[in-house]
Amino acid sequence: MRRSLRALFEVPLLRVLLPLSLLGRIHVSGLPVALSFLIAGWTGAYTTVGLVSGAMAIGQAVAGPIRGRVADRKSASGVLFVTGGTYLVGLAVLILSTKVLPGKLWPVAVLIAFLTGLTLPPISQISRALWPRLAKGEARESLYTLEATGYELVAMGGPLLASGIVVLSGGTAAVVACGLIAAGGALIFGLVLRSNGLDRGERRPEPEADGGEQVKQRSLLRDMVFLRAVLVSLSLIAALFSVDLSIVAWGRDRGTPGVAGALIAVFGLGSALGGLLSIGRGGKRSTGLGALGLAAGIGVLALLLPPVSDATPVWLLAVMMVVAGSVVAPSMAANNAQIGELAPEARRAEAFGWLATAMTGGAAIMLSLSGTLLDVVGPSASIGSGAVAALLAAGLAFSLPKRVVEPGDEPGDEPEAEAAAPAAEAS
């Protein structure tokens, strides 16, 4: 594992592309915090926060596979340039609606958020589809773990940045900052792809019928193994978003938004530490065991928050956030690597588009549910629903076939992957 990790740093393009792909996504963890303060300050209700944030996530989910298909077949940089600009415009219109409309017209913001979500720059799915072209076998496994760990480190800065801007200038300024980061990150990442000849994905001839006519590819979701792998990510992300929104609400109700941002950052720190330890140990990670650990950690957090407990010291919450977060990066990395193995080479960006759809779908479901639970019961019920989602992820993960990846293997060439995913190929 250490040799494969050293090999990764010897690839010049990875030294550039991996940091850019991570920094270009820092807004993803910061925007939910920024939107929470913007929308809650406008309407005075967390249910509305959940609906607006959930609508944006649904938009991201709907467009994920489409953006991936375009990136596979046409220009990845072109997709990044267009989506980066329109995403920034969408957030600006959303902010404007909160300034000129009364809070009772919040359904307008829900629609704007949905349309904005359709244009999220797909840096994550484009970069994840690119990694198998730059690293093989064990090195590829290390790269997925390194990316997941790196994202957790970067994601710690998102809530801190957003909550810091909220304290200094308010929710509006925080949303603006997230939009500028998203657009700028997409532009720079796209330019680097184009300048290094990585603008277009690997292409293979379309399958043909006996008469020589091209056969239409059927959906990757018709492969039940691939579908279950994607649903694992949906459930994991739902669990993670229950933590974020619950802690933000807890901090806002206490009048300490900065503490909430710090606790979310500590959760990311725990994930990063877990990822680093995973890389150091070597070997395969278990998504199922990681999800079980996450469910246990979140379950304990639910007992430490109102209305179950109103006097939990912040230091104890911080300790539990580190412990619960420590399994996140290894679990997500293992699941991402398995999705990359199950997908045909020429459809990887589309496959990770479905992954993005599942992740944003999980966020949408949990944001709406958590918003309601926060208003009706409180943070303990909201975060408790995340523990249930983590248990579901564990059950789905244990139902997947064991992964068999030998050093130097091409993605999708493993015997288990071939046996498990025949429907992922074109019919």
Side-chain angles (χ1 to χ4, degrees):
M1 179 65 72
R2 291 178 180 175
R3 289 194 302 270
S4 63
L5 199 55
R6 284 198 301 270
L8 291 179
F9 290 109
E10 292 172 358
V11 181
L13 285 178
L14 279 178
R15 294 202 297 266
V16 176
L17 289 172
L18 182 58
L20 286 178
S21 74
L22 295 173
L23 292 173
R25 287 179 272 168
I26 191 173
H27 67 93
V28 175
S29 62
L31 186 60
V33 176
L35 281 179
S36 296
F37 285 97
L38 176 69
I39 302 301
W42 180 44
T43 65
Y46 287 115
T47 299
T48 310
V49 174
L51 290 172
V52 171
S53 301
M56 183 172 290
I58 291 172
Q60 296 169 6
V62 169
I66 299 172
R67 292 190 300 257
R69 195 172 298 121
V70 173
D72 276 332
R73 299 178 182 180
K74 295 183 180 180
S75 168
S77 63
V79 173
L80 290 170
F81 297 156
V82 172
T83 55
T86 51
Y87 189 70
L88 178 59
V89 171
L91 289 179
V93 173
L94 179 59
I95 291 172
L96 182 62
S97 70
T98 66
K99 303 303 178 185
V100 302
L101 298 177
K104 64 182 180 181
L105 293 181
W106 58 262
V108 175
V110 172
L111 176 60
I112 296 171
F114 171 77
L115 295 175
T116 302
L118 293 174
T119 66
L120 175 74
I123 293 179
S124 62
Q125 65 195 73
I126 288 175
S127 60
R128 287 168 183 161
L130 180 64
W131 301 152
R133 295 170 62 183
L134 302 177
K136 306 297 181 184
E138 192 177 84
R140 182 187 64 215
E141 184 83 7
S142 296
L143 178 53
Y144 277 113
T145 304
L146 186 62
E147 184 210 33
T149 303
Y151 178 69
E152 292 300 336
L153 289 169
V154 170
M156 287 190 297
L160 286 174
L161 176 64
S163 59
I165 295 175
V166 167
V167 171
L168 294 174
S169 305
T172 298
V175 175
V176 170
C178 289
L180 291 173
I181 292 171
L187 175 62
I188 295 172
F189 193 67
L191 289 173
V192 173
L193 289 181
R194 180 168 292 187
S195 64
N196 286 281
L198 297 171
D199 191 40
R200 298 179 183 273
E202 296 173 306
R203 298 301 306 274
R204 288 186 173 181
E206 297 285 348
E208 295 185 353
D210 294 339
E213 295 181 355
Q214 289 186 342
V215 179
K216 183 179 180 181
Q217 291 180 328
R218 55 183 174 180
S219 173
L220 294 173
L221 296 185
R222 294 186 64 178
D223 171 8
M224 290 298 102
V225 175
F226 180 85
L227 176 60
R228 291 202 304 276
V230 165
L231 290 177
V232 170
S233 290
L234 183 151
S235 302
L236 284 174
I237 288 297
L240 300 183
F241 268 79
S242 76
V243 175
D244 288 352
L245 187 56
S246 300
I247 294 299
V248 167
W250 171 84
R252 186 175 184 272
D253 290 343
R254 293 175 75 245
T256 56
V259 173
L263 285 175
I264 295 174
V266 166
F267 188 68
L269 175 62
S271 179
L273 292 175
L276 292 173
L277 289 174
S278 177
I279 294 173
R281 287 196 306 266
K284 296 288 182 285
R285 273 70 60 187
S286 170
T287 304
L289 289 177
L292 282 179
L294 181 63
I298 292 178
V300 173
L301 281 170
L303 301 177
L304 300 177
L305 293 172
V308 176
S309 176
D310 293 315
T312 302
V314 173
W315 68 263
L316 181 55
L317 287 175
V319 170
M320 283 309 306
M321 293 288 275
V322 172
V323 172
S326 65
V327 297
V328 174
S331 302
M332 294 299 296
N335 191 238
N336 290 347
Q338 187 156 38
I339 288 174
E341 293 160 13
L342 293 172
E345 283 186 36
R347 302 180 69 183
R348 283 202 192 103
E350 179 186 348
F352 283 105
W354 283 116
L355 174 64
T357 292
M359 294 171 73
T360 50
I365 293 170
M366 186 52 68
L367 285 170
S368 299
L369 176 61
S370 291
T372 300
L373 290 174
L374 283 169
D375 282 337
V376 175
V377 182
S380 60
S382 171
I383 206 168
S385 66
V388 175
L391 284 175
L392 177 60
L396 289 167
F398 285 127
S399 76
L400 297 173
K402 291 184 178 180
R403 299 173 52 219
V404 179
V405 183
E406 300 297 333
D409 278 352
E410 289 291 327
D413 288 344
E414 296 83 355
E416 285 290 337
E418 291 180 359
E425 303 294 337
S427 59

